[in-house]
Amino acid sequence: MRTSRLLNLGARLGPVATIATRAHARLYRLTGGRFLPKWAEGMPVISLTTTGRKSGKPRSTPVVYVEDGDRLAVMPSNAGSDATPAWWLNLQANPEAEVQRGEERWRVRARRATPDEAERIWPLMRESYSGFEAYQGFTEREQPIVLLEPR
């Protein structure tokens, strides 16, 4: 619970959080995932590159995930901040993206999990990182489960 509160506070710092996130994504990509490959409670991290919905430019961000067969499940929690993460807004505008896990990269198509899929995946996410449950208590904003499916 402490970790989730600390991360929530960090997400609310606006520009500072944005700079830290961009630096993490850049270093992750440059080091082939050797820089901060895990996040709180050992959650694995990917670099997710989306297309900016306004700029049209590639935007990379580190995102924690759980595996669901050949798909990755992610949650736009933004550490429970009231602000929806830009990567999720970008994926809603253009669901085509790129994932980097370690040195491996592949194209994905994002979609919101169906209610049945979300019900099945939610316990896996909660088990992998207890902070997800706490994040839901920090905001009234919806935090859906998003599936990244290989193309």
Side-chain angles (χ1 to χ4, degrees), residues 45-116:
V45 175
I46 56 170
S47 177
L48 176 65
T49 302
T50 61
T51 301
R53 66 194 180 288
K54 295 177 184 175
S55 69
K57 295 180 180 176
R59 302 289 186 207
S60 296
T61 190
V63 180
V64 298
Y65 69 93
V66 296
E67 292 186 27
D68 182 49
D70 65 343
R71 307 178 296 192
L72 302 179
V74 297
M75 184 181 294
S77 63
N78 205 10
S81 167
D82 290 330
T84 301
W87 64 263
W88 175 228
L89 297 172
N90 291 343
L91 286 174
Q92 290 176 79
N94 177 3
E96 305 298 321
E98 181 183 87
V99 164
Q100 178 179 347
R101 181 171 53 189
E103 293 187 6
E104 181 184 13
R105 293 181 189 203
W106 68 95
R107 303 288 304 159
V108 294
R109 182 171 185 85
R111 69 172 177 85
R112 185 184 186 130
T114 65
D116 287 344

Side-chain angles (χ1 to χ4, degrees), residues 114-131:
T114 65
D116 287 344
E117 289 169 327
E119 185 177 333
R120 180 179 52 76
I121 295 169
W122 172 241
L124 300 174
M125 297 193 86
R126 193 177 59 235
E127 184 179 302
S128 295
Y129 175 54
S130 63

